[in-house]
Amino acid sequence: MSSPSTASLSQLILLRAVQRLEAQQGPLDDAQAMREAHAQQRAMPQRLLARAAWLAREQGLDVALAQWRGRLPWLALVAAMLIGLLGFGLLQAVVGGQRQINAVAALLAVLGPHLLSLVLWLLMLTVGGHGGEGGGLARWLAWATARLPGGTPAQALVLEAGLDVLSRKRGLSAWALGAVNHAIWSLALLLTLAGLVFAFSFLAYRLTWETTILDAGFFAGFARISGWLPGLLGFATPELGGSADDNRGWALWLLGCTLVYGLGLRLIALLLSAWRTRRLLAGLGLDSEDPQLRQLMQRFAALDASALLDAEHHRAPPPPAPPEGGRVMQGVALLGYELPLSLPWPPAGLPAPPLALRIAGAADEKRRLLAQLQDLAPQRLLLVCHGPSSPDRGTERFVREALQRVGTGALLLSGEAGAARWRSWVADCALPLQAVFDAPAPARAWLEGVDHGR
């Protein structure tokens, strides 16, 4: 239903996190999110993403996602250092207290865990299904995250949502988790290689190939075959003939094999995984068969139909009703209608008259406010609406009823967009507004222009 370029991985994760939250807690109050998404976006996929982004901000899911982004590099660094220390610790266990190393055993200690991890990843890549790769581990991490000091349910929810997104395309989670795994191992092997270089440069070691049951030809063949590729890079192959031990040759052979079969192999796997992950992510979009998304698309379609009816069947404005009993209208009122909760109230730069309220647009709120306007009968009413949102028939009906209870009214739009759309709407509906402002300074001047003496 959408082109791959219309949704980033972060947008898809937040969308899925909101879906999971609504599945756990029930539908969220998304009236404002629906209106803003409908007004700001034309394409249906972008409206779905905009609604999810608005709700994610309200629920703190965007903050949880940002916290994960900041935390992952440090987690990877700690994991790499632990693996590097493990590899070097295994090497030290082989070295012993006499600084005598069996070179082949040392190579197995350095490369054994790395090669085992690589084989497990290849198995996961080749036999993994449509999204089960790594799922158990990631969900266990999500469960543990919510219970660690500083961990929050929002962070666990975002982590599970990210796993859901990655599991939507076959092999994507294996390639993505593989890229992280290869990056960690690359750094670990780099640290291990640096430790070997330091040890061989400043300490004297005796490297041997001594054995009890194996033939010397086995080690000669193993050294010759394993040292062929490092030899192309200039690393010498140890000499097994003669009585003198070739400690330098064995040390260079060990370093060369660690560089080629350890760090080099991991870097190749890292680049391949990163390239493949990028390709798979580029083809990842919204799931048009998702029941939750299909319901949201129907709701947006209903808003489109309502907007079309507003444009085609707007009513002529009824004449304002005179104040009851010939009362003289005086004073001012400030009203915020369907404003986002994140906006301050009263808006900066505006006074706070005795009647300064904001309502979300519920029916009981509108009834109470209209009764207050009827009792107060202010001379001037300044309505504050959210500019990026789109006015609808409910907005028009409320504005007309409010203007019938005041002397005159004006409209102030908050936000940095939508002024032209609102002015066109006011003109099309023939609303008896004296002015439409897009800045608080002229609106304040208009509001304070009331002659309190009449």
Side-chain angles (χ1 to χ4, degrees), residues 38 299-313 391-394:
H38 182 267
R299 292 176 60 192
F300 278 119
L303 290 178
D304 287 334
S306 176
L308 182 60
L309 289 175
D310 285 345
E312 293 180 351
H313 301 97
D392 52 22
R393 295 188 66 181

Side-chain angles (χ1 to χ4, degrees), residues 204-294:
Y205 286 92
R206 180 173 177 267
L207 287 89
T208 70
W209 48 272
E210 295 175 348
T211 179
T212 301
I213 61 175
L214 295 177
D215 186 81
F218 169 81
F219 289 100
F222 180 79
R224 182 172 61 256
I225 295 173
S226 59
W228 174 78
L229 191 55
L232 298 179
L233 301 178
F235 290 92
T237 301
E239 297 180 3
L240 297 180
S243 58
D245 293 329
D246 187 9
N247 293 322
R248 184 176 184 276
W250 278 111
L252 291 177
W253 170 83
L254 181 59
L255 291 174
C257 290
T258 303
L259 175 63
V260 173
Y261 304 117
L263 180 59
L265 195 58
R266 279 292 177 173
L267 289 177
I268 293 174
L270 173 60
L271 293 176
L272 179 61
S273 296
W275 172 79
R276 186 59 181 160
T277 300
R278 186 179 182 88
R279 289 290 300 272
L280 291 174
L281 285 176
L284 195 63
L286 276 67
D287 184 6
S288 59
E289 301 302 322
D290 188 292
Q292 290 177 281
L293 297 186
R294 293 184 70 86

